[in-house]
Amino acid sequence: MDTDGSKRSSGGTIEVNKNNPDVITLHVPGLVSTTNSDNTSRSRNSSFLSDKSWHHHTQEALPRLDNYKNLHSYNVGQRPTLEELYDPSLAELESSITGLPDGGGQSQSIKFGWIRGVLVRCLLCIWGVMLFLRLSWVVGQSGILEAVLIILLASVVTTITTLSMSAISTNGAIKGGGTYYMTSRSLGPEFGASIGVIFSIANAVSVAMYIVGFCESMNDLLKRFGVQIVDGGINDVRIIGAITLVGCTIIVLVGMEWEAKAQIFLLGMLVIAIVDFFIGAFIGPTNDEEIARGFLGWNGTLFSDNFVSDYREDEGVYYSFFSVFAVFFPAATGILAGANISGDLKDASSALPKGTLLSILISTIVYVAFAFFCGATVARDATGNVTGLADGSFLDCMPNECDWGLHNSFQVIETVSAFGPLIFAGCFAATLSSALASYVSAPKIFQAVCNDNLYPGIGWFGKGYGKNNEPIRAYVLTFIIALAGIALGELNAISPLISNFFLAAYALVNFSTFHVNLIKPLGWRPTFRYYNGWVSLFGALLCIFVMFLMSWVTALITFAAFIVLYLVIVYRKPEVNWGSSTQAQTYKSTVDSVYQLLNLEEHVKNYRPQILVLTGHPASRTPLVDFANLICKKQGFMLCGHVSKETFTQRQREAITRSAYGWLKAHKIRSFYTLLDSSEISNGVSVLIQSSGLGKMRPNIVMMGFMADWTTRDPNELSEYFEGIHAAFSQGVAVAILRAPQGLDFSDYIRFLDGVVGKSVGSPRMLGNGEMPKSGIPNPAFEYQESVGSMDSIVSVDEKAPQSKTKKKKDSTLKIDVSLYGENVPKNILENLTVFRRKQPKGFIDVWWLYDDGGLSVLLPYIMTTRKAWKNSKLRIFCIANKRDEIDIGQKGMAALLSKFRIDYSDVIAVSDVNRSPSEETKQWFNDLIKPSLQASGSEDHNKISKSELLEMKDKCNRHMRLRELLLQHSKDSNMVFMTLPIPKRGVVSAALYMSWMETLTKDMPPFLLVRGNQTSVLTFYS
């Protein structure tokens, strides 16, 4: 302590107020904190402390963006786990996340802002081939009014889609993949991957469309000079198109930076051409040749004639409003040009809404102005003959017989312009820029689909090269598709298919926004507010409606392609977790269904087995899990319960749980899994029954394996097992105990998913109370073991197993995948291990329905006979007749009862001599069985069988011995045996005696299930 009464510490000084000892002041550089004795504090910051200063005083992590990145991002931050914060002993545990790449040495790729990356690209795509080559034709067919309606309808579709896209894009960071990324992360891989492939093809075909438009303009230009390559027609288009495609390919292969520079130059040319057209329209015709071609200048009569539609047949197709719309709509598809390169934008969330909406506004104004100017200044038909100007005959020609005018010439824009060559330059710029944008978009989208490994065989195309991760292989594929489109050589033939593909993509973008807005997960917080979910739904329906109105044939082709791609994903079930709205919908629907079920009265006709299977880790007792799965599959639900005395850390619990679900998935078993540690068996069973499930979805059957080595077990373990049975009965649920001839625990032979093998050392053969190994980390598959792998190996098991490419091996006699159990498992062990998976030979399932437990003793074996592997096994029902002369009555009564319950059976056998004294041989066998479990003289061990208890239960012991004789007589060769389980009355029967009864019934028998319902009916004869 210093002379002034303050204490010094390494981080500053602590001063006690002399006037008020309850006030303590902590002096730290940058912070003055006054603390009262009641631990309240008042602080004033002279400056914020640095992260380094904080880390000297706390293990807590400060709120930082890096802490919220996914595990595969560069510079990902790590916050301490909850266990590390409250348990210092865990603070030095090695992080489970290792080997993350360091972003420090990564070269920076080219990133674009909203003007160059979005606005410029969208304008170049929208102001494409349609503006200079087809808009005049649209006005000729539809008239000024309907042409403007076509433009506005396309703008409505694109605007609604843009609003939807803006909402999605501002709800978090957008990576590469554009439309595919947004739909897949919103609706899941099924929808996203399907539309991603279709949209990639649409963009690839768009390259062909734009290049064909360029070639048509080039052909017209060459014709003016009397030049042709082959025929001046479609073959010339193909030749020029192929050469142009090669040139575009070279530009995009050079890199995004050069492609972006080319786009700026082309946009400049395009703007000059647009201005040139407007100037020419205001000036009017400057010579007789332009007038003869139909360019009359501003004319009220002409405007009136062109205001209404004049749909005609062209090249064998009779056009209507929607067929013309189908030809025009590709002009509006450029709105996604910026989204398609979302991975190359500096801030996609901000750039996409601004750039795309502004491009729609500008382009719509320009298109409407072009339509208005064309309709007001150019006639629909003109001969181009100057000599007809004197008498006005240059406008008198039959439809489709003229070469000039809005209907007949695609060079109207060039005719109207002030300087024609600029229009050619603008047309070349528009088509080439659109082709380049689509050429970049298609591979980028397809690369994103390939990198997600959703479809087989396409991953090869996803490889990127260079600092910008350029998809060279995808460029080659796009080249091939575009070349095939160019081979068609017809712009009008390509446009409808592209329109349908784009409309399908727009429909899904809109539906994505509607769906996520309807579900409203907590993660849905878009910063873009100018959207509405119902407007997005209207946009989706409008897109689908327009698809069929344009061409129902191509719409059906589009839907067929989408459905095929969708079903492939559904079949493959890719292991992706993107937090999609369909996942949120699943959760919401599940909760709603559970609530609805909660309000429904239970009815016996709707009874379903809901089994809590006490397996430990599922991998350790495969036959028990397989048997429960036979009962529950498509009929109820199964929950694998794991009770352990040991205490696990949260990380260990998560690792064990992941490994359990990985094993279940590998074996195609639909089951839940729950781990309860720090608990004795009896208490654990009770807790699992009470806490497992939700509402009406709770276990109504507890199934466990038979403790085959109970005679050599520690008495405390036997007592725990017995108390576990009592715990189940005390909770009012049915109890089922399964015994297989070779046991249920095959952990010595099972390969756990990726090859981790453990040996059970003195482990309980039923519930598997685990012990913590010296390493402090439990084996995820087996409770007791001699050696286990590290935590990393545990975690990696279920991450790698589903990706395994190991060829599956099938045993021709077992008809199962034996590779799941290891390569060196002996054949006899494998047969015992898979006893409930193998197809059973013809035989019987014997049901000893001794007591009326509500019908569960009959229902479970009936369910077994409905399974494919057990369909050759017929039910044989055994019942008890009170007297020998009542056998026929008993058989007829049981047969009538089973008929009422609609239970198929092969035979009913009534036995009357159950109460007859067993043979001396059986008695001697029983006495030898219980001899190690008898109390010694003067002992009061309640786990042993006392003489008084044995005397009191003499009749029951004789009955069980007699039942054993009958079982050996009738059921020894059956495929399986079911019998009503005797109830152990609490405080009356000891654990050893009860186990001896079950041993007596099941010893040397085929697979045997002792089952006792909860005395509530599970069968009914009412309809």
Side-chain angles (χ1 to χ4, degrees):
M1 179 176 293
D2 290 350
T3 57
D4 59 355
S6 63
K7 297 179 180 180
R8 293 197 176 272
S9 65
S10 58
T13 60
I14 302 173
E15 179 182 350
V16 180
N17 193 309
K18 297 179 179 180
N19 298 324
N20 186 0
D22 292 335
V23 178
I24 303 173
T25 303
L26 171 64
H27 296 276
V28 179
L31 173 67
V32 178
S33 177
T34 304
T35 307
N36 296 326
S37 58
D38 58 356
N39 292 327
T40 61
S41 65
R42 306 185 305 275
S43 302
R44 61 183 187 271
N45 291 322
S46 59
S47 64
F48 289 101
L49 292 177
S50 65
D51 289 356
K52 183 176 180 180
S53 298
W54 270 108
H55 285 309
H56 282 299
H57 299 282
T58 180
Q59 192 183 353
E60 299 275 14
L62 297 179
R64 294 173 54 202
L65 181 62
D66 290 342
N67 296 337
Y68 294 87
K69 292 181 179 179
N70 64 53
L71 299 184
H72 302 289
S73 298
Y74 293 136
N75 299 324
V76 60
Q78 297 182 44
R79 69 174 67 88
T81 64
L82 184 62
E83 286 182 321
E84 290 171 347
L85 289 176
Y86 77 78
D87 189 348
S89 64
L90 298 174
E92 297 182 359
L93 280 178
E94 183 180 358
S95 173
S96 60
I97 305 171
T98 58
L100 290 175
D102 181 11
Q106 296 292 323
S107 59
Q108 297 298 317
S109 59
I110 303 299
K111 297 292 183 180
F112 303 107
W114 72 274
I115 295 179
R116 290 183 64 188
V118 182
L119 179 62
V120 171
R121 290 179 179 277
C122 289
L123 285 177
L124 286 172
C125 281
I126 297 173
W127 288 338
V129 63
M130 294 298 170
L131 181 64
F132 294 104
L133 298 183
R134 288 296 184 271
L135 185 58
S136 59
W137 175 84
V138 170
V139 175
Q141 290 279 355
S142 303
I144 297 174
L145 177 62
E146 292 187 20
V148 172
L149 290 177
I150 286 174
I151 295 170
L152 293 179
L153 177 59
S155 297
V156 168
V157 173
T158 55
T159 301
I160 293 175
T161 304
T162 301
L163 294 176
S164 301
M165 179 192 69
S166 299
I168 297 175
S169 64
T170 58
N171 191 53
I174 299 295
K175 297 182 180 179
T179 305
Y180 159 71
Y181 185 89
M182 288 185 283
T183 54
S184 62
R185 270 55 177 180
S186 296
L187 288 178
E190 297 85 0
F191 290 97
S194 305
I195 209 62
V197 173
I198 290 176
F199 199 61
S200 300
I201 296 174
N203 275 279
V205 178
S206 292
V207 177
M209 182 189 74
Y210 293 124
I211 290 179
V212 168
F214 166 78
C215 296
E216 289 183 357
S217 298
M218 180 63 72
N219 260 359
D220 290 335
L221 182 61
L222 293 177
K223 286 178 182 177
R224 292 195 172 193
F225 299 99
V227 177
Q228 65 181 33
I229 301 176
V230 178
D231 56 4
I234 191 170
N235 288 321
D236 284 11
V237 169
R238 291 166 178 163
I239 294 172
I240 298 172
I243 297 172
T244 306
L245 181 62
V246 172
C248 291
T249 304
I250 294 173
I251 293 175
V252 297
L253 289 179
V254 169
M256 288 288 293
E257 187 175 5
W258 283 96
E259 185 266 348
K261 291 178 180 179
Q263 295 282 29
I264 295 295
F265 172 74
L266 293 174
L267 179 62
M269 293 179 59
L270 188 55
V271 171
I272 293 173
I274 291 173
V275 173
D276 180 46
F277 168 78
F278 287 131
I279 293 174
F282 277 114
I283 294 175
T286 57
N287 54 60
D288 291 343
E289 185 179 358
E290 290 182 352
I291 297 175
R293 291 180 177 180
F295 180 30
L296 306 182
W298 296 93
N299 188 305
T301 303
L302 180 63
F303 181 85
S304 178
D305 292 341
N306 289 345
F307 191 76
V308 295
S309 62
D310 181 26
Y311 294 109
R312 299 179 185 176
E313 183 179 356
D314 186 10
E315 298 179 356
V317 178
Y318 184 83
Y319 285 93
S320 63
F321 178 87
F322 284 103
S323 57
V324 172
F325 178 80
V327 174
F328 171 79
F329 187 76
T333 58
I335 63 167
L336 295 180
N340 292 339
I341 62 164
S342 56
D344 297 304
L345 299 176
K346 292 178 181 177
D347 184 3
S349 298
S350 173
L352 290 177
K354 288 190 295 185
T356 308
L357 287 172
L358 185 58
S359 67
I360 291 176
L361 176 63
I362 296 173
S363 60
T364 300
I365 293 174
V366 171
Y367 267 111
V368 171
F370 262 60
F372 184 82
F373 279 41
C374 287
T377 60
V378 183
R380 279 193 165 104
D381 298 293
T383 62
N385 188 357
V386 178
T387 60
L389 293 178
D391 57 2
S393 61
F394 73 98
L395 297 177
D396 297 333
C397 59
M398 297 299 294
N400 300 326
E401 293 183 359
C402 297
D403 294 329
W404 299 96
L406 296 174
H407 265 301
N408 310 296
S409 175
F410 294 145
Q411 302 302 321
V412 170
I413 304 298
E414 184 266 338
T415 302
V416 174
S417 65
F419 184 63
L422 286 179
I423 296 300
F424 279 106
C427 185
F428 295 161
T431 52
L432 291 178
S433 63
S434 299
L436 285 174
S438 297
Y439 210 152
V440 170
S441 299
K444 292 282 186 180
I445 298 170
F446 194 63
Q447 182 186 38
V449 178
C450 295
N451 288 338
D452 285 335
N453 293 317
L454 300 178
Y455 290 105
I458 66 173
W460 185 82
F461 293 101
K463 182 176 176 58
Y465 296 87
K467 64 180 182 180
N468 288 331
N469 195 33
E470 295 291 347
I472 303 299
R473 296 172 179 177
Y475 281 134
V476 174
L477 181 62
T478 303
F479 177 87
I480 296 172
I481 296 174
L483 190 62
I486 292 172
L488 291 176
E490 290 290 340
L491 193 60
N492 287 10
I494 300 173
S495 296
L497 182 62
I498 297 175
S499 297
N500 270 272
F501 278 10
F502 277 110
L503 280 168
Y506 293 171
L508 267 186
V509 171
N510 284 305
F511 183 75
S512 299
T513 302
F514 163 74
H515 191 262
V516 71
N517 186 69
L518 181 67
I519 301 303
K520 284 186 172 60
L522 294 178
W524 176 244
R525 299 185 299 275
T527 57
F528 183 83
R529 303 296 183 184
Y530 305 103
Y531 76 96
N532 181 276
W534 296 104
V535 173
S536 297
L537 177 62
F538 171 75
L541 296 175
L542 180 62
C543 290
I544 296 173
F545 179 70
V546 172
M547 285 175 64
F548 280 93
L549 285 179
M550 288 194 305
S551 173
W552 65 270
V553 175
T554 52
L556 290 178
I557 293 173
T558 303
F559 273 94
F562 176 82
I563 291 172
V564 170
L565 293 169
Y566 179 91
L567 292 177
V568 170
I569 298 297
V570 171
Y571 175 77
R572 284 175 55 83
K573 296 182 177 65
E575 296 184 9
V576 294
N577 182 17
W578 294 329
S580 63
S581 61
T582 51
Q583 290 177 306
Q585 174 68 58
T586 301
Y587 175 83
K588 186 175 184 295
S589 300
T590 301
V591 173
D592 291 342
S593 298
V594 171
Y595 275 120
Q596 291 176 5
L597 191 62
L598 187 64
N599 295 323
L600 293 177
E601 291 271 352
E602 291 185 358
H603 196 283
V604 63
K605 289 194 296 183
N606 294 324
Y607 173 85
R608 292 181 180 274
Q610 298 168 178
I611 304 180
L612 168 62
V613 196
L614 302 176
T615 60
H617 192 286
S620 60
R621 293 167 183 82
T622 302
L624 183 60
V625 178
D626 288 341
F627 179 78
N629 185 52
L630 280 175
I631 301 297
C632 293
K633 190 175 183 180
K634 298 181 181 180
Q635 298 289 348
F637 79 81
M638 180 170 68
L639 171 66
C640 292
H642 186 169
V643 181
S644 176
K645 293 180 180 179
E646 299 305 318
T647 300
F648 301 142
T649 66
Q650 180 61 27
R651 187 179 301 175
Q652 291 168 341
R653 284 192 293 270
E654 290 175 354
I656 296 171
T657 301
R658 283 197 301 269
S659 66
Y661 277 114
W663 185 92
L664 291 168
K665 184 174 183 179
H667 287 72
K668 298 181 180 180
I669 295 174
R670 297 178 60 182
S671 173
F672 300 100
Y673 169 82
T674 184
L675 170 63
L676 181 65
D677 61 353
S678 307
S679 177
E680 298 291 341
I681 299 303
S682 57
N683 182 61
V685 172
S686 180
V687 170
L688 285 178
I689 296 172
Q690 295 180 60
S691 61
S692 299
L694 199 63
K696 297 289 180 67
M697 302 293 292
R698 293 183 177 277
N700 52 26
I701 301 174
V702 173
M703 183 177 292
M704 59 184 72
F706 180 70
M707 185 182 281
D709 56 350
W710 62 274
T711 55
T712 59
R713 270 301 170 81
D714 183 275
N716 292 327
E717 290 184 357
L718 177 60
S719 178
E720 280 293 309
Y721 178 85
F722 186 56
E723 287 300 320
I725 299 174
H726 275 300
F729 278 122
S730 66
Q731 296 298 325
V733 298
V735 176
I737 301 176
L738 178 67
R739 181 173 189 176
Q742 303 300 325
L744 300 174
D745 191 337
F746 291 88
S747 55
D748 289 343
Y749 304 96
I750 298 175
R751 186 190 72 184
F752 176 62
L753 292 182
D754 69 343
V756 178
V757 180
K759 293 185 178 181
S760 298
V761 181
S763 65
R765 294 295 177 184
M766 185 348 240
L767 294 176
N769 296 329
E771 285 186 354
M772 185 72 73
K774 293 181 180 179
S775 64
I777 299 171
N779 186 312
F782 319 110
E783 297 307 323
Y784 288 89
Q785 65 285 328
E786 292 179 343
S787 62
V788 295
S790 66
M791 178 62 69
D792 290 338
S793 67
I794 295 175
V795 176
S796 65
V797 165
D798 34 287
E799 291 177 349
K800 295 179 180 178
Q803 306 290 338
S804 175
K805 296 182 180 179
T806 304
K807 186 176 180 180
K808 293 183 178 180
K809 297 181 180 180
K810 291 195 175 183
D811 188 292
S812 59
T813 59
L814 302 180
K815 305 296 183 184
I816 59 172
D817 180 11
V818 301
S819 64
L820 291 171
Y821 306 97
E823 302 296 333
N824 301 314
V825 179
K827 183 67 174 291
N828 63 320
I829 297 298
L830 187 60
E831 290 180 354
N832 295 326
L833 185 68
T834 59
V835 60
F836 296 111
R837 283 181 174 259
R838 290 182 287 114
K839 186 175 181 180
Q840 301 296 314
K842 289 185 178 181
F844 296 104
I845 295 178
D846 286 350
V847 181
W848 291 74
W849 195 6
L850 304 181
Y851 315 107
D852 189 355
D853 61 347
L856 190 64
S857 298
V858 174
L859 180 61
L860 295 187
Y862 168 75
I863 295 174
M864 288 281 289
T865 61
T866 64
R867 305 309 183 193
K868 185 176 181 181
W870 292 76
K871 66 179 181 180
N872 293 326
S873 300
K874 305 300 182 183
L875 286 186
R876 193 165 57 173
I877 311 297
F878 291 83
C879 60
I880 296 177
N882 292 326
K883 299 179 181 179
R884 183 176 293 274
D885 55 2
E886 295 180 358
I887 290 180
D888 290 341
I889 298 175
Q891 289 177 338
K892 291 179 181 179
M894 179 60 69
L897 184 61
L898 293 173
S899 298
K900 287 281 189 181
F901 291 148
R902 304 170 301 284
I903 300 291
D904 292 331
Y905 62 93
S906 65
D907 198 6
V908 173
I909 300 173
V911 291
S912 61
D913 51 355
V914 175
N915 292 322
R916 194 178 73 182
S917 178
S919 66
E920 291 299 324
E921 182 181 357
T922 303
K923 289 181 180 179
Q924 184 60 44
W925 178 89
F926 183 77
N927 290 333
D928 292 340
L929 174 66
I930 64 174
K931 186 175 181 180
S933 303
L934 294 176
Q935 284 184 2
S937 299
S939 173
E940 296 183 359
D941 187 352
H942 298 291
N943 293 321
K944 300 287 187 176
I945 305 173
S946 66
K947 292 183 179 179
S948 59
E949 179 190 10
L950 196 59
L951 183 62
E952 184 180 353
M953 295 294 167
K954 180 179 179 181
D955 290 341
K956 287 190 176 181
C957 291
N958 288 337
R959 188 183 308 139
H960 286 96
M961 283 186 276
R962 178 57 186 153
L963 282 172
R964 172 176 173 78
E965 293 177 344
L966 294 172
L967 285 165
L968 292 172
Q969 177 184 345
H970 295 284
S971 302
K972 185 174 178 57
D973 297 324
S974 299
N975 289 341
M976 187 163 182
V977 179
F978 288 76
M979 177 177 277
T980 308
L981 174 70
I983 294 181
K985 294 185 178 180
R986 183 176 290 277
V988 177
V989 180
S990 65
L993 183 59
Y994 187 71
M995 293 299 297
S996 68
W997 289 348
M998 289 194 290
E999 180 78 16
T1000 300
L1001 296 173
T1002 60
K1003 180 71 172 177
D1004 301 325
M1005 296 296 293
F1008 204 114
L1009 184 74
L1010 291 164
V1011 57
R1012 166 68 72 158
N1014 65 350
Q1015 304 303 113
T1016 302
S1017 296
V1018 298
L1019 297 172
T1020 182
F1021 52 82
Y1022 294 106
S1023 60

